Amino acid sequence: MTIALNIDIAEWLNLAIRWLHLTAGIAWIGSSFYFVWLDNHLKPPREGSASGEVWSVHGGGFYHKQKYVVAPGTLPDDLHWFKWEAYFTWLSGFALLVLVYYVGAKSFLIDRARADLSQIDAIGIGLSALVAGWLVYDGLCRSPLGRNNRALGVVWFAFLVGAAWGLCAVFNPRGAYLHVGAMLGTVMVANVFMVIIPNQRKVVAALKAGKVPDPALGKAGKQRSVHNNYMTLPVLFIMISHHYPMTFGAQRPWLVLALLGATGVAVRHVFNLRHTAAPTGRAMLVAAVLALISVTYVSAEKGANAAPAAPAADGPPTFATVQPILQKHCSGCHAVRPTHDGIADPPLGIVLDTADHVAAVAPRIKAVAVDAEIMPLGNETGMTRAERDTLGRWIAAGAKP
């Protein structure tokens, strides 16, 4: 018996890198959340020179953890470092950015209705955004503003909102979202690679040389670590945002991103406060208000965009009327054997070849092609508003064969 193997290397590579990215991200964010929890639960030690300690129980055992603000008098032989989780998260994320959004820039990044960019131009803008994000953030931290975390956070947030607005003006909004996330991820890993780990190495070197470590090294590392902690939820939202076209498909996607990003920061602040004796009422109220504003704005805009067009004089369209529209604008990707460059299999397994198959996913088609107008990606096939209205009327009438 002969077995024919049709292996799509690109798809398997995409899966492997995405799996690595998710796994490394869980490990990195998990350790970030844990150490913030640990710091917030430290109590003055009953004995010894540690600055704080905490007892905990997990997995059938008891743990006694102590913290030294600067460093202990002597170092143990076995010292654990937390860095590779961050490095592998960024490396795998950047590999995905290249594989999906740079190699596939024509489909996933460039929107010629917004800016007529070449692939090289789009990649250059994307990479420049990552570099600019780090330079601005690091400059803020090293400036006098860096002494006030709250003021620094406001300015940094304002810069990110401006970056989101600018990227949404030149890129497909989905690609713009991912680049804002990549900017945040780059800042977070650069904090580890450029500040936190080097400062820790300097402290270790000072101890080995019999010197007293500079307390400013630990203070700077702690500040960057706290910043990373607050940036995690906005990054996680962006990682899943491409599943929710109502967000990046809004009329002002940068504003939706700003509202939901601020909500994520507020929620993270609530959880951080809960691990201390500080009151959480005000922070919870802010988070709830931001969430309410976000949901209200997105829902209101979705409702406005989804307003049904006036029915045609001869009644609702039939499938025979919308089938040519689907063939022209959708079947290049959503076919058993896609003909679109770079698409080996129908995205999400959706094949729009029969009336029954189309009717089964009609609500999703309405959301991305009629209401949000994000499909086809970058509108590379030139789908008109009239065609979208025709498709919407057919779906509103029941998507009947």
Side-chain angles (χ1 to χ4, degrees):
M1 181 176 65
T2 301
I3 300 177
L5 294 178
N6 183 16
I7 300 177
D8 187 333
I9 300 298
E11 281 297 301
W12 281 106
L13 182 62
N14 188 311
L15 173 60
I17 296 174
R18 197 173 296 274
W19 200 349
L20 172 61
H21 185 56
L22 179 64
T23 303
I26 290 173
W28 183 17
I29 292 173
S31 64
S32 172
F33 284 8
Y34 172 72
F35 277 103
V36 169
W37 176 92
L38 188 62
D39 271 346
N40 290 334
H41 281 79
L42 291 172
K43 304 293 184 183
R46 295 183 178 181
E47 58 183 17
S49 59
S51 58
E53 67 177 1
V54 62
W55 283 84
S56 56
V57 58
H58 181 75
F62 294 88
Y63 297 82
H64 181 205
K65 292 164 281 290
Q66 295 179 314
K67 178 179 179 178
Y68 297 81
V69 172
V70 180
T74 57
L75 286 177
D77 294 331
D78 191 10
L79 184 63
H80 296 281
W81 297 75
F82 290 84
K83 57 182 180 178
W84 291 110
E85 303 92 337
Y87 299 164
F88 277 110
T89 299
W90 188 87
L91 288 171
S92 56
F94 185 73
L96 281 174
L97 186 68
V98 171
L99 184 64
V100 177
Y101 288 90
Y102 290 167
V103 173
K106 180 180 177 182
S107 298
F108 296 100
L109 190 57
I110 298 172
D111 184 347
R112 300 200 183 282
R114 298 172 185 270
D116 190 11
L117 302 174
S118 68
Q119 184 177 24
I120 296 300
D121 291 338
I123 294 172
I125 292 173
L127 293 176
S128 297
L130 304 191
V131 175
W134 166 247
L135 292 178
V136 170
Y137 167 81
D138 187 57
L140 290 173
C141 288
R142 297 179 187 277
S143 73
L145 195 66
R147 293 192 289 269
N148 186 326
N149 276 330
R150 184 170 297 179
L152 187 152
V154 170
V155 175
W156 173 233
F157 181 78
F159 170 80
L160 289 172
V161 172
W165 175 83
L167 290 170
C168 285
V170 296
F171 286 162
N172 178 312
R174 174 177 167 180
Y177 269 36
L178 264 293
H179 272 80
V180 174
M183 289 172 66
L184 287 169
T186 298
V187 164
M188 291 170 68
V189 77
N191 274 340
V192 176
F193 184 73
M194 302 289 286
V195 179
I196 297 173
I197 294 300
N199 284 11
Q200 289 176 341
R201 291 191 184 281
K202 291 175 184 177
V203 169
V204 170
L207 287 172
K208 289 182 176 180
K211 301 177 181 178
V212 177
D214 183 358
L217 295 172
K219 183 178 180 180
K222 175 62 178 177
Q223 181 190 44
R224 302 297 181 105
S225 180
V226 170
H227 292 175
N228 280 2
N229 182 264
Y230 277 96
M231 287 187 275
T232 50
L233 292 190
V235 170
L236 288 175
F237 160 70
I238 292 172
M239 287 176 65
I240 65 172
S241 65
H242 66 279
H243 293 291
Y244 301 94
M246 62 185 179
T247 58
F248 62 87
Q251 185 177 357
R252 297 177 182 84
W254 59 270
L255 180 55
V256 175
L257 181 57
L259 289 170
L260 291 173
T263 301
V265 171
V267 169
R268 186 64 237 159
H269 188 55
V270 170
F271 276 88
N272 288 342
L273 290 178
R274 286 190 63 192
H275 301 317
T276 69
T280 61
R282 182 179 299 178
M284 291 181 67
L285 177 61
V286 171
V289 169
L290 284 170
L292 180 61
I293 293 174
S294 302
V295 173
T296 302
Y297 176 76
V298 173
S299 300
E301 190 171 273
K302 180 181 177 182
N305 291 342
D314 55 351
T318 64
F319 180 71
T321 303
V322 301
Q323 188 175 24
I325 298 175
L326 296 170
Q327 290 176 341
K328 178 181 178 182
H329 301 291
C330 309
S331 295
C333 297
H334 294 284
V336 176
R337 293 182 177 82
T339 58
H340 192 288
D341 292 340
I343 305 294
D345 298 295
L348 303 178
I350 296 174
V351 177
L352 305 178
D353 56 350
T354 68
D356 288 338
H357 286 166
V358 176
V361 292
R364 183 176 296 182
I365 294 174
K366 183 176 183 295
V368 300
V370 180
D371 297 342
E373 298 187 32
I374 59 172
M375 288 292 171
L377 285 172
N379 199 20
E380 60 179 333
T381 61
M383 191 174 189
T384 66
R385 184 64 248 181
E387 289 174 318
R388 297 180 192 276
D389 288 342
T390 299
L391 188 57
R393 291 200 307 272
W394 176 71
I395 294 171
K400 299 176 182 178

